[in-house]
Each structure stands twice: as structure tokens, then as C-alpha cells.
Amino acid sequence: MDYTKTEEKIMFGEIEEIEDIIEKRFKKYKNFARIPTHLLNQNHHFVDHKTININPKSELAERIHKEWEILEKNLPSSIFVRASAERIDLMRAVIIGLEGTPYCHGLFFFDIFFPTTYPVTPPLIFYHSYGFDLNPNLHRDGQVSLDLLTINVSHSWWNCKRHSDEKQQWNPQESNITQVLVSIQHKVLNANPYYCHKGQPQKSNKEVFKLNCQAMLVMLQPYMQFKHPHMQFKHLVQGHFRNRAHQILQIYKAEMKPDDDEEMNQLFIKLLNAFEDNGAYCGHYYPKALKERRSISNHR
């Protein structure tokens, strides 16, 4: 399926969604910001990997501050980063899946740590999988496989001949965390994630998109807004899925086929409910019979 701009110019009748505090905060949400250390320390994967007493004038501190400047100037609009103001060796990032991929409109959370050997060695990256196995290079245990995070040619996984000219490993003088995040977004969360992994269990793009939607449901659970890694991105998560609900549902509808199993239909209804609970009006997507039952339930 073509995941590119399925929404085009979708008209939603005379539906008018009122802008509230969530949407106002979402519109003001910065791509990069420094936040109090305790907000990251509570649940960051690398909180115990302490780079003790970083001298503010050390080369490491200067390099990390330079990383902040690059992030502030060069982050694309679809990537968000929060840096710890005091524990400057810690960051957390959220990457939005690009259109044209089975990851479109999904949110992907990563914890980042700069070791004392940085930038001679690359940063450490941990992926929050929520238990979903939806990419051969984003492992369920949090490991991220990416050439740019390696310094040894023999460890490169990007060995598909088609992409051999795109290999890029860590270069202490030139590489930075912004490049790593953009590389994950474009090279890992790509349009055909299993193309170069013929020896591994395969998933179709439709299967990957379904897993992406299941992860969305987890993120939209009310209790998740107060658990890692959502705490620093609560307004982003709420605003993003309110803003993208219609596009996601349109793509999902285009994926549905008459011979799909009941699980596919049930997941669609769960998405509808979650998006509506999050403040997006989606009633016009409900099948007629289900809409009638929902109306009766709401009036009890």
C-alpha cells in the first residue's frame, strides 16, 4: 500500500473541533529543550550510567553543549529532544514515523547517554519497544542497530548491496546525535524495513502498520501519561494523536480488506475509541450498527 498522504484533502463534514489547552500546548511544543534533571532521572534507562562530576570546562562538556546547539538549530519538525539540564550526559528523543512508511504517524521513544569516551565512541541509545517487535533493527530489548552507532566495519548491519554506498559509521570529528536521530528516522523506520533482512523472520508492511497502531493504543492509555517515557512528552503525545487521528484512520481504512480477520476490525474500533477518548472527533468512522449501540450506551 502507498502510505503517502492518504489524507490529501479529507473533508470531515461540518465537524468543528474546539481548540483546548492540549492543542494550545501542542502548538507551542519545542523540538528541543532543556528540562530539570529529576524529570529524566526518574525513569531514564541510563540513569545509573553516571558520568560523575563532568567538569563544565572539559572537552566532554563542551562537546555536549555543542550538540545542544546543533539540535536546537537543525532538528527536523518531526523529531523532539529533551536534554537534562544538570545531568548533561542524558537525553530523551521522540521520532515521528514518516509518511510513505508503515511507521507513519507513530511515535518512537529513545533514551540517549553520552559516555566519558564521547565523541571517540558513539552515544549509547536505548529504544522503548513497549514489547512490540516491529523493526529488524529496533530490538524488543531496546538495542538499536545502526551503522552510525558503530566504529568497527565488521559490525555493520547495513550490508544490503542496494544501500552499500550509503554506509556511514561513527566519525568522532564529524558525527553528532542529530545525525543519529535523522538516520534512525530515514534508514531504520523506512518504507521497506525487512527488505535487507531476508534471513530473518519476515513481516509485511501491513503487519508492521498494525503493530504501529497497537503501540499507539498503549501510548494513549491514561496511566501511560504518567509513566516513562511519557512524562516529559505528555502534551506531545496527546496533541500529536489528536492532530493525526483522522490521517491514521484513513490509512487504516485503506488497509482493510473484506477477507481480513476479526482482529483487524477490532483494532480499528479500539483506535477509534482511543482517539475519541483523547479528544478527537471520530464518530463518523463508526460502522452504523456500532454507532447506534455507542449512542445508546452514552445515554444510559
Side-chain angles (χ1 to χ4, degrees), residues 14 17 26 30 32 34 36 51 56 88-89 100 120 123 144 152 161 164 213 245-246 248 257-258 268 270 293:
E14 298 181 359
E17 297 186 47
F26 176 65
K30 295 181 179 180
F32 176 78
R34 292 176 289 276
T51 306
I88 65 172
D89 53 347
V120 175
V144 177
N152 188 325
K161 185 176 180 181
S164 60
C213 291
H246 298 295
I248 295 167
K257 299 293 184 291
F268 183 72
K270 289 178 181 179
R293 290 199 299 271

PDB file of all heavy atoms in Angstrom, residues 14 17 26 30 32 34 36 51 56 88-89 100 120 123 144 152 161 164 213 245-246 248 257-258 268 270 293:
ATOM      1  N   GLU A  14     -19.205  18.978   8.602  1.00  0.00           N
ATOM      2  CA  GLU A  14     -19.242  20.255   9.301  1.00  0.00           C
ATOM      3  C   GLU A  14     -18.745  20.098  10.732  1.00  0.00           C
ATOM      4  O   GLU A  14     -19.200  20.770  11.644  1.00  0.00           O
ATOM      5  CB  GLU A  14     -20.670  20.812   9.282  1.00  0.00           C
ATOM      6  CG  GLU A  14     -21.161  21.091   7.867  1.00  0.00           C
ATOM      7  CD  GLU A  14     -22.559  21.651   7.857  1.00  0.00           C
ATOM      8  OE1 GLU A  14     -23.145  21.802   8.956  1.00  0.00           O
ATOM      9  OE2 GLU A  14     -23.084  21.942   6.773  1.00  0.00           O
ATOM     10  N   GLU A  17     -13.728  20.973  15.611  1.00  0.00           N
ATOM     11  CA  GLU A  17     -13.114  20.541  16.861  1.00  0.00           C
ATOM     12  C   GLU A  17     -12.559  21.769  17.586  1.00  0.00           C
ATOM     13  O   GLU A  17     -11.795  22.542  17.029  1.00  0.00           O
ATOM     14  CB  GLU A  17     -12.008  19.524  16.572  1.00  0.00           C
ATOM     15  CG  GLU A  17     -12.572  18.267  15.920  1.00  0.00           C
ATOM     16  CD  GLU A  17     -11.528  17.193  15.758  1.00  0.00           C
ATOM     17  OE1 GLU A  17     -10.804  16.933  16.724  1.00  0.00           O
ATOM     18  OE2 GLU A  17     -11.443  16.623  14.660  1.00  0.00           O
ATOM     19  N   PHE A  26       0.355  21.867  22.538  1.00  0.00           N
ATOM     20  CA  PHE A  26       0.972  21.104  21.453  1.00  0.00           C
ATOM     21  C   PHE A  26       1.563  22.050  20.401  1.00  0.00           C
ATOM     22  O   PHE A  26       2.675  21.824  19.898  1.00  0.00           O
ATOM     23  CB  PHE A  26      -0.069  20.180  20.826  1.00  0.00           C
ATOM     24  CG  PHE A  26       0.436  19.415  19.628  1.00  0.00           C
ATOM     25  CD1 PHE A  26       1.449  18.479  19.756  1.00  0.00           C
ATOM     26  CD2 PHE A  26      -0.112  19.629  18.374  1.00  0.00           C
ATOM     27  CE1 PHE A  26       1.915  17.763  18.658  1.00  0.00           C
ATOM     28  CE2 PHE A  26       0.347  18.925  17.271  1.00  0.00           C
ATOM     29  CZ  PHE A  26       1.354  17.995  17.410  1.00  0.00           C
ATOM     30  N   LYS A  30       8.238  22.772  21.776  1.00  0.00           N
ATOM     31  CA  LYS A  30       9.521  22.980  21.109  1.00  0.00           C
ATOM     32  C   LYS A  30      10.170  21.651  20.732  1.00  0.00           C
ATOM     33  O   LYS A  30      10.035  20.669  21.444  1.00  0.00           O
ATOM     34  CB  LYS A  30      10.464  23.772  22.017  1.00  0.00           C
ATOM     35  CG  LYS A  30       9.999  25.193  22.313  1.00  0.00           C
ATOM     36  CD  LYS A  30      11.009  25.908  23.201  1.00  0.00           C
ATOM     37  CE  LYS A  30      10.578  27.337  23.485  1.00  0.00           C
ATOM     38  NZ  LYS A  30      11.557  28.043  24.353  1.00  0.00           N
ATOM     39  N   PHE A  32      13.382  21.149  20.692  1.00  0.00           N
ATOM     40  CA  PHE A  32      14.475  20.899  21.642  1.00  0.00           C
ATOM     41  C   PHE A  32      14.310  21.798  22.854  1.00  0.00           C
ATOM     42  O   PHE A  32      13.958  22.974  22.747  1.00  0.00           O
ATOM     43  CB  PHE A  32      15.835  21.182  21.012  1.00  0.00           C
ATOM     44  CG  PHE A  32      16.981  21.032  21.986  1.00  0.00           C
ATOM     45  CD1 PHE A  32      17.452  19.778  22.341  1.00  0.00           C
ATOM     46  CD2 PHE A  32      17.551  22.159  22.576  1.00  0.00           C
ATOM     47  CE1 PHE A  32      18.479  19.632  23.257  1.00  0.00           C
ATOM     48  CE2 PHE A  32      18.586  22.026  23.493  1.00  0.00           C
ATOM     49  CZ  PHE A  32      19.052  20.762  23.838  1.00  0.00           C
ATOM     50  N   ARG A  34      15.815  22.066  27.298  1.00  0.00           N
ATOM     51  CA  ARG A  34      16.484  21.520  28.487  1.00  0.00           C
ATOM     52  C   ARG A  34      15.477  21.512  29.625  1.00  0.00           C
ATOM     53  O   ARG A  34      14.764  22.493  29.823  1.00  0.00           O
ATOM     54  CB  ARG A  34      17.710  22.370  28.837  1.00  0.00           C
ATOM     55  CG  ARG A  34      18.822  22.267  27.811  1.00  0.00           C
ATOM     56  CD  ARG A  34      19.989  23.181  28.127  1.00  0.00           C
ATOM     57  NE  ARG A  34      19.653  24.581  27.911  1.00  0.00           N
ATOM     58  CZ  ARG A  34      19.709  25.189  26.719  1.00  0.00           C
ATOM     59  NH1 ARG A  34      20.053  24.496  25.647  1.00  0.00           N
ATOM     60  NH2 ARG A  34      19.400  26.458  26.601  1.00  0.00           N
ATOM     61  N   PRO A  36      14.499  20.113  33.879  1.00  0.00           N
ATOM     62  CA  PRO A  36      15.111  19.764  35.164  1.00  0.00           C
ATOM     63  C   PRO A  36      15.545  18.307  35.193  1.00  0.00           C
ATOM     64  O   PRO A  36      14.842  17.419  34.699  1.00  0.00           O
ATOM     65  CB  PRO A  36      13.990  20.030  36.167  1.00  0.00           C
ATOM     66  CG  PRO A  36      13.153  21.079  35.517  1.00  0.00           C
ATOM     67  CD  PRO A  36      13.188  20.760  34.045  1.00  0.00           C
ATOM     68  N   THR A  51      28.210   9.621  34.458  1.00  0.00           N
ATOM     69  CA  THR A  51      29.479  10.257  34.132  1.00  0.00           C
ATOM     70  C   THR A  51      29.704  11.269  35.253  1.00  0.00           C
ATOM     71  O   THR A  51      29.232  12.401  35.201  1.00  0.00           O
ATOM     72  CB  THR A  51      29.405  10.962  32.763  1.00  0.00           C
ATOM     73  OG1 THR A  51      28.971  10.020  31.787  1.00  0.00           O
ATOM     74  CG2 THR A  51      30.745  11.529  32.373  1.00  0.00           C
ATOM     75  N   PRO A  56      32.569  21.426  33.834  1.00  0.00           N
ATOM     76  CA  PRO A  56      31.907  22.292  32.848  1.00  0.00           C
ATOM     77  C   PRO A  56      32.837  22.776  31.739  1.00  0.00           C
ATOM     78  O   PRO A  56      32.374  23.148  30.662  1.00  0.00           O
ATOM     79  CB  PRO A  56      31.398  23.461  33.694  1.00  0.00           C
ATOM     80  CG  PRO A  56      31.283  22.915  35.078  1.00  0.00           C
ATOM     81  CD  PRO A  56      32.407  21.936  35.207  1.00  0.00           C
ATOM     82  N   ILE A  88      24.040  16.449  32.077  1.00  0.00           N
ATOM     83  CA  ILE A  88      24.107  16.773  30.648  1.00  0.00           C
ATOM     84  C   ILE A  88      24.443  15.563  29.779  1.00  0.00           C
ATOM     85  O   ILE A  88      24.389  15.644  28.555  1.00  0.00           O
ATOM     86  CB  ILE A  88      25.124  17.909  30.380  1.00  0.00           C
ATOM     87  CG1 ILE A  88      26.551  17.452  30.720  1.00  0.00           C
ATOM     88  CG2 ILE A  88      24.742  19.149  31.159  1.00  0.00           C
ATOM     89  CD1 ILE A  88      27.618  18.454  30.309  1.00  0.00           C
ATOM     90  N   ASP A  89      24.783  14.432  30.423  1.00  0.00           N
ATOM     91  CA  ASP A  89      25.071  13.216  29.653  1.00  0.00           C
ATOM     92  C   ASP A  89      23.805  12.443  29.288  1.00  0.00           C
ATOM     93  O   ASP A  89      23.881  11.404  28.627  1.00  0.00           O
ATOM     94  CB  ASP A  89      26.021  12.309  30.439  1.00  0.00           C
ATOM     95  CG  ASP A  89      25.543  12.012  31.857  1.00  0.00           C
ATOM     96  OD1 ASP A  89      24.608  12.695  32.335  1.00  0.00           O
ATOM     97  OD2 ASP A  89      26.099  11.106  32.492  1.00  0.00           O
ATOM     98  N   GLY A 100       4.637   7.580   3.955  1.00  0.00           N
ATOM     99  CA  GLY A 100       5.257   6.711   2.966  1.00  0.00           C
ATOM    100  C   GLY A 100       5.888   5.478   3.571  1.00  0.00           C
ATOM    101  O   GLY A 100       6.494   4.676   2.867  1.00  0.00           O
ATOM    102  N   VAL A 120      34.850  10.028  21.015  1.00  0.00           N
ATOM    103  CA  VAL A 120      35.693   8.983  20.420  1.00  0.00           C
ATOM    104  C   VAL A 120      34.831   7.760  20.125  1.00  0.00           C
ATOM    105  O   VAL A 120      34.989   7.098  19.088  1.00  0.00           O
ATOM    106  CB  VAL A 120      36.867   8.620  21.349  1.00  0.00           C
ATOM    107  CG1 VAL A 120      37.662   7.458  20.775  1.00  0.00           C
ATOM    108  CG2 VAL A 120      37.756   9.844  21.548  1.00  0.00           C
ATOM    109  N   PRO A 123      27.383   7.699  21.080  1.00  0.00           N
ATOM    110  CA  PRO A 123      26.481   7.677  22.240  1.00  0.00           C
ATOM    111  C   PRO A 123      25.793   6.326  22.356  1.00  0.00           C
ATOM    112  O   PRO A 123      25.712   5.564  21.378  1.00  0.00           O
ATOM    113  CB  PRO A 123      25.476   8.787  21.912  1.00  0.00           C
ATOM    114  CG  PRO A 123      25.464   8.857  20.419  1.00  0.00           C
ATOM    115  CD  PRO A 123      26.880   8.574  20.000  1.00  0.00           C
ATOM    116  N   VAL A 144      19.546  -0.850  19.503  1.00  0.00           N
ATOM    117  CA  VAL A 144      19.369  -0.182  18.217  1.00  0.00           C
ATOM    118  C   VAL A 144      20.543  -0.552  17.315  1.00  0.00           C
ATOM    119  O   VAL A 144      21.703  -0.344  17.672  1.00  0.00           O
ATOM    120  CB  VAL A 144      19.308   1.351  18.371  1.00  0.00           C
ATOM    121  CG1 VAL A 144      19.198   2.032  17.006  1.00  0.00           C
ATOM    122  CG2 VAL A 144      18.148   1.748  19.277  1.00  0.00           C
ATOM    123  N   ASN A 152      33.351  -0.138  14.113  1.00  0.00           N
ATOM    124  CA  ASN A 152      34.068  -1.270  13.555  1.00  0.00           C
ATOM    125  C   ASN A 152      33.326  -1.763  12.317  1.00  0.00           C
ATOM    126  O   ASN A 152      32.162  -2.133  12.395  1.00  0.00           O
ATOM    127  CB  ASN A 152      34.168  -2.407  14.595  1.00  0.00           C
ATOM    128  CG  ASN A 152      35.067  -3.530  14.134  1.00  0.00           C
ATOM    129  OD1 ASN A 152      35.133  -3.855  12.954  1.00  0.00           O
ATOM    130  ND2 ASN A 152      35.771  -4.129  15.087  1.00  0.00           N
ATOM    131  N   LYS A 161      23.384  -4.832  -0.578  1.00  0.00           N
ATOM    132  CA  LYS A 161      24.123  -4.269  -1.706  1.00  0.00           C
ATOM    133  C   LYS A 161      23.466  -3.015  -2.245  1.00  0.00           C
ATOM    134  O   LYS A 161      24.126  -2.064  -2.651  1.00  0.00           O
ATOM    135  CB  LYS A 161      24.237  -5.315  -2.818  1.00  0.00           C
ATOM    136  CG  LYS A 161      25.095  -4.856  -3.997  1.00  0.00           C
ATOM    137  CD  LYS A 161      25.243  -5.966  -5.013  1.00  0.00           C
ATOM    138  CE  LYS A 161      26.112  -5.504  -6.188  1.00  0.00           C
ATOM    139  NZ  LYS A 161      26.244  -6.579  -7.199  1.00  0.00           N
ATOM    140  N   SER A 164      24.799  -0.148  -0.230  1.00  0.00           N
ATOM    141  CA  SER A 164      26.212  -0.198   0.149  1.00  0.00           C
ATOM    142  C   SER A 164      26.886   1.166   0.049  1.00  0.00           C
ATOM    143  O   SER A 164      27.831   1.456   0.771  1.00  0.00           O
ATOM    144  CB  SER A 164      26.952  -1.212  -0.726  1.00  0.00           C
ATOM    145  OG  SER A 164      26.866  -0.850  -2.095  1.00  0.00           O
ATOM    146  N   CYS A 213       0.065   0.634  15.134  1.00  0.00           N
ATOM    147  CA  CYS A 213      -1.208   1.072  15.705  1.00  0.00           C
ATOM    148  C   CYS A 213      -1.418   0.517  17.115  1.00  0.00           C
ATOM    149  O   CYS A 213      -1.961   1.199  17.992  1.00  0.00           O
ATOM    150  CB  CYS A 213      -2.360   0.654  14.790  1.00  0.00           C
ATOM    151  SG  CYS A 213      -2.413   1.544  13.215  1.00  0.00           S
ATOM    152  N   ALA A 245      -5.194  11.841  14.216  1.00  0.00           N
ATOM    153  CA  ALA A 245      -6.170  10.750  14.313  1.00  0.00           C
ATOM    154  C   ALA A 245      -6.833  10.455  12.970  1.00  0.00           C
ATOM    155  O   ALA A 245      -6.939   9.296  12.550  1.00  0.00           O
ATOM    156  CB  ALA A 245      -7.232  11.082  15.361  1.00  0.00           C
ATOM    157  N   HIS A 246      -7.299  11.480  12.272  1.00  0.00           N
ATOM    158  CA  HIS A 246      -8.008  11.271  11.013  1.00  0.00           C
ATOM    159  C   HIS A 246      -7.103  10.651   9.949  1.00  0.00           C
ATOM    160  O   HIS A 246      -7.520   9.748   9.217  1.00  0.00           O
ATOM    161  CB  HIS A 246      -8.592  12.595  10.511  1.00  0.00           C
ATOM    162  CG  HIS A 246      -9.589  13.200  11.436  1.00  0.00           C
ATOM    163  ND1 HIS A 246     -10.800  12.610  11.713  1.00  0.00           N
ATOM    164  CD2 HIS A 246      -9.552  14.348  12.170  1.00  0.00           C
ATOM    165  CE1 HIS A 246     -11.473  13.366  12.572  1.00  0.00           C
ATOM    166  NE2 HIS A 246     -10.734  14.417  12.865  1.00  0.00           N
ATOM    167  N   ILE A 248      -4.465   8.749  10.434  1.00  0.00           N
ATOM    168  CA  ILE A 248      -4.200   7.355  10.798  1.00  0.00           C
ATOM    169  C   ILE A 248      -5.388   6.463  10.455  1.00  0.00           C
ATOM    170  O   ILE A 248      -5.231   5.377   9.889  1.00  0.00           O
ATOM    171  CB  ILE A 248      -3.863   7.250  12.300  1.00  0.00           C
ATOM    172  CG1 ILE A 248      -2.544   7.986  12.603  1.00  0.00           C
ATOM    173  CG2 ILE A 248      -3.758   5.787  12.737  1.00  0.00           C
ATOM    174  CD1 ILE A 248      -2.284   8.212  14.078  1.00  0.00           C
ATOM    175  N   LYS A 257      -9.387  -5.019   4.217  1.00  0.00           N
ATOM    176  CA  LYS A 257      -9.904  -5.763   3.076  1.00  0.00           C
ATOM    177  C   LYS A 257     -11.075  -6.644   3.548  1.00  0.00           C
ATOM    178  O   LYS A 257     -11.151  -7.010   4.724  1.00  0.00           O
ATOM    179  CB  LYS A 257      -8.807  -6.645   2.468  1.00  0.00           C
ATOM    180  CG  LYS A 257      -7.605  -5.859   1.955  1.00  0.00           C
ATOM    181  CD  LYS A 257      -7.970  -4.994   0.764  1.00  0.00           C
ATOM    182  CE  LYS A 257      -6.752  -4.279   0.190  1.00  0.00           C
ATOM    183  NZ  LYS A 257      -6.223  -3.242   1.072  1.00  0.00           N
ATOM    184  N   PRO A 258     -11.998  -6.996   2.624  1.00  0.00           N
ATOM    185  CA  PRO A 258     -13.170  -7.803   3.022  1.00  0.00           C
ATOM    186  C   PRO A 258     -12.818  -9.123   3.691  1.00  0.00           C
ATOM    187  O   PRO A 258     -13.561  -9.615   4.545  1.00  0.00           O
ATOM    188  CB  PRO A 258     -13.889  -8.050   1.688  1.00  0.00           C
ATOM    189  CG  PRO A 258     -13.476  -6.895   0.822  1.00  0.00           C
ATOM    190  CD  PRO A 258     -12.053  -6.598   1.211  1.00  0.00           C
ATOM    191  N   PHE A 268      -9.303  -1.578  14.669  1.00  0.00           N
ATOM    192  CA  PHE A 268      -9.822  -0.319  14.140  1.00  0.00           C
ATOM    193  C   PHE A 268     -10.765   0.339  15.150  1.00  0.00           C
ATOM    194  O   PHE A 268     -10.678   1.549  15.412  1.00  0.00           O
ATOM    195  CB  PHE A 268     -10.554  -0.569  12.815  1.00  0.00           C
ATOM    196  CG  PHE A 268     -11.059   0.676  12.154  1.00  0.00           C
ATOM    197  CD1 PHE A 268     -10.184   1.569  11.550  1.00  0.00           C
ATOM    198  CD2 PHE A 268     -12.412   0.960  12.113  1.00  0.00           C
ATOM    199  CE1 PHE A 268     -10.639   2.723  10.937  1.00  0.00           C
ATOM    200  CE2 PHE A 268     -12.886   2.113  11.508  1.00  0.00           C
ATOM    201  CZ  PHE A 268     -11.994   2.996  10.904  1.00  0.00           C
ATOM    202  N   LYS A 270     -10.837  -0.159  18.384  1.00  0.00           N
ATOM    203  CA  LYS A 270     -10.050   0.276  19.545  1.00  0.00           C
ATOM    204  C   LYS A 270      -9.354   1.605  19.284  1.00  0.00           C
ATOM    205  O   LYS A 270      -9.277   2.468  20.165  1.00  0.00           O
ATOM    206  CB  LYS A 270      -9.020  -0.798  19.910  1.00  0.00           C
ATOM    207  CG  LYS A 270      -9.620  -2.056  20.525  1.00  0.00           C
ATOM    208  CD  LYS A 270      -8.543  -3.090  20.814  1.00  0.00           C
ATOM    209  CE  LYS A 270      -9.139  -4.351  21.406  1.00  0.00           C
ATOM    210  NZ  LYS A 270      -8.108  -5.388  21.680  1.00  0.00           N
ATOM    211  N   ARG A 293     -25.252   1.403  18.890  1.00  0.00           N
ATOM    212  CA  ARG A 293     -25.002   0.839  20.224  1.00  0.00           C
ATOM    213  C   ARG A 293     -24.241   1.823  21.098  1.00  0.00           C
ATOM    214  O   ARG A 293     -24.513   1.959  22.283  1.00  0.00           O
ATOM    215  CB  ARG A 293     -24.214  -0.475  20.106  1.00  0.00           C
ATOM    216  CG  ARG A 293     -25.010  -1.624  19.502  1.00  0.00           C
ATOM    217  CD  ARG A 293     -24.363  -2.963  19.824  1.00  0.00           C
ATOM    218  NE  ARG A 293     -23.026  -3.076  19.294  1.00  0.00           N
ATOM    219  CZ  ARG A 293     -22.742  -3.533  18.084  1.00  0.00           C
ATOM    220  NH1 ARG A 293     -23.730  -3.908  17.273  1.00  0.00           N
ATOM    221  NH2 ARG A 293     -21.493  -3.628  17.675  1.00  0.00           N
TER     222      ARG A 293
END
